Amino acid sequence: MANQLLSTVAYRDSLPEGYARPEHDRPRLADVRTDTNIPLIDLASPDRHRVIAEIDQACRTYGFFQVINHGISEELLEKVMAVGLEFFRLPPEEKAKLYSDEPSKKIRLSTSFNVRKETVHNWRDYLRLHCHPLEEFVPDWPSNPETFKEIISVYCREVRLLGLRLLGAISLGLGLEEVYVEKVLGEQEQHMAVNYYPRCPEPDLTYGLPKHTDPNALTILLMDPHVSGLQVLRDGAKWIAVDPRPNALVINLGDQLQALSNGAYKSVWHRAVVNAAHERLSVASFLCPCNSAVIGPAPKLVGDGEDPVYRSYTYDEYYKRFWSRNLDQEHCLELFRSQH
């Protein structure tokens, strides 16, 4: 029901029913720390070996990093954020045309995460788009705002090129051929979530999104340049805030790279929190293996006489399992560990 969208209702003084988390599962915002050592990687550095080494180190320790000089212009990043906000400010009847709570629908506007399954809702609306091949999906994208299709199409193309470049660096960091990861993942799908987090009357009681890992291979996140909200888990215990940096993109490793690396790389646990003072927008682009891709640890990364950490599986099998659960349950990859 489109009237569930947070972006269409008037601001309230307290959380509506169904959004407050139980006491043990609240964000405890006062305990969140900042970390000045979050990896920041300059992709324009002439020392490619150093860039690969920095990416490798970030993937082993943090499971995510930020990139600057990534080749996507500041002007385009600003246009993407502006047209995203413009979309969520459209009249309710315009947004209702795209509303769906069916998770398998390839183009849909929805709220929370999976309203059909979850017991507690999240303080988020989102527009989900499939983006590759563009010519197949763009006709069904929103035609209002007028510039939406054009701006987002250009961004999708550039993000895909950046993602494939990063996957090559990740392969090399693992000691594999540059094309190894891209070959295993097959003709990758590409999805996008334009996330809108309205001002929240009681941000200590709820989440924009609770803690989760991403089920795909690589996520490229364009953050709101003015409002912080992304937090990542460090050392399994401490939540740290990832503050926006000018023109930087956040790169999250997804579950498939943890599996391919035989557990050497970490798929990062992260969450989105909300605040009472400001609305926030973020744009997440997901590179996903094709459904028939068989994912498993690269043989070169499994020691002689050792068992791989994870069994092989198809991405289709993984993705269905991921969506059949609650977002913040145990790591979905745990269900795919080798049984030895």
Side-chain angles (χ1 to χ4, degrees):
M1 299 286 287
N3 59 7
Q4 288 183 281
L5 289 169
L6 296 168
S7 54
T8 63
V9 296
Y11 183 77
R12 302 175 172 90
D13 293 328
S14 60
L15 280 180
E17 191 179 340
Y19 285 88
R21 295 261 159 188
E23 184 74 42
H24 69 274
D25 183 28
R26 290 178 180 170
R28 294 192 164 88
L29 299 174
D31 297 340
V32 175
R33 300 284 171 258
T34 52
D35 182 345
T36 54
N37 299 314
I38 289 172
L40 179 68
I41 297 171
D42 184 352
L43 295 184
S45 166
D47 187 345
R48 188 162 187 244
H49 290 293
R50 181 179 164 189
V51 169
I52 290 165
E54 287 178 349
I55 289 174
D56 176 59
Q57 182 64 15
C59 292
R60 290 175 190 275
T61 54
Y62 277 81
F64 85 107
F65 50 95
Q66 290 180 291
V67 293
I68 53 172
N69 296 320
H70 39 66
I72 303 178
S73 73
E74 179 181 358
E75 181 189 13
L76 180 56
L77 299 182
E78 288 173 353
K79 283 182 175 177
V80 170
M81 295 302 284
V83 83
L85 263 181
E86 200 182 334
F87 172 81
F88 281 101
R89 289 173 177 160
L90 289 172
E93 60 275 13
E94 194 66 30
K95 287 186 288 196
K97 296 174 188 173
L98 287 160
Y99 184 84
S100 172
D101 55 17
E102 169 48 62
S104 63
K105 202 159 186 283
K106 295 188 172 181
I107 293 161
R108 64 194 174 96
L109 173 64
S110 198
T111 192
S112 190
F113 175 69
N114 187 352
V115 287
R116 291 186 175 186
K117 261 191 70 62
E118 65 203 14
T119 52
V120 183
H121 300 314
N122 305 296
W123 199 256
R124 170 185 85 134
D125 288 348
Y126 63 97
L127 176 65
R128 185 89 184 188
L129 304 173
H130 276 227
C131 312
H132 183 79
L134 277 168
E135 57 275 13
E136 183 180 331
F137 296 113
V138 169
D140 296 322
W141 284 6
S143 39
N144 192 1
E146 268 181 42
T147 56
F148 185 92
K149 288 182 180 180
E150 181 189 351
I151 291 169
I152 301 298
S153 293
V154 173
Y155 180 69
C156 285
R157 282 194 194 95
E158 298 206 10
V159 157
R160 189 176 185 85
L161 291 174
L162 172 62
L164 295 177
R165 188 173 147 207
L166 290 168
L167 288 176
I170 284 167
S171 281
L172 291 169
L174 285 166
L176 305 169
E177 290 177 25
E178 186 168 3
V179 295
Y180 181 86
V181 171
E182 190 180 336
K183 271 187 174 172
V184 168
L185 300 179
E187 181 58 32
Q188 291 175 73
E189 290 194 5
Q190 183 178 343
H191 309 162
M192 174 184 279
V194 185
N195 300 306
Y196 177 72
Y197 305 98
R199 290 192 306 132
C200 178
E202 296 178 284
D204 287 304
L205 303 185
T206 192
Y207 291 104
L209 276 175
K211 75 166 190 172
H212 63 285
T213 62
D214 289 343
N216 52 301
L218 198 70
T219 302
I220 299 175
L221 181 71
L222 172 59
M223 294 170 68
D224 191 304
H226 307 297
V227 187
S228 181
L230 173 66
Q231 298 179 350
V232 300
L233 193 61
R234 279 289 280 148
D235 306 323
K238 294 181 304 212
W239 284 102
I240 59 171
V242 183
D243 292 328
R245 285 180 178 267
N247 305 318
L249 294 167
V250 175
I251 312 300
N252 280 355
L253 292 200
D255 296 348
Q256 307 318 311
L257 289 179
Q258 181 167 326
L260 278 169
S261 71
N262 200 36
Y265 285 0
K266 303 294 176 246
S267 176
V268 65
W269 284 97
H270 55 290
R271 66 186 189 181
V273 297
V274 290
N275 71 83
H278 304 286
E279 63 184 356
R280 186 171 76 88
L281 189 86
S282 72
V283 181
S285 297
F286 307 98
L287 284 184
C288 310
C290 73
N291 279 336
S292 59
V294 177
I295 311 289
K300 189 176 177 182
L301 303 180
V302 180
D304 288 343
E306 293 180 6
D307 293 318
V309 176
Y310 304 105
R311 68 172 176 85
S312 293
Y313 53 84
T314 64
Y315 185 60
D316 185 52
E317 181 187 357
Y318 192 91
Y319 200 65
K320 282 177 178 162
R321 184 70 68 89
F322 180 88
W323 273 95
S324 70
R325 306 154 63 254
N326 284 331
L327 187 61
D328 53 354
Q329 278 178 269
E330 67 163 347
H331 201 308
C332 191
L333 254 187
E334 291 299 311
L335 306 173
F336 293 84
R337 279 190 175 272
S338 296
Q339 302 297 315
H340 292 286

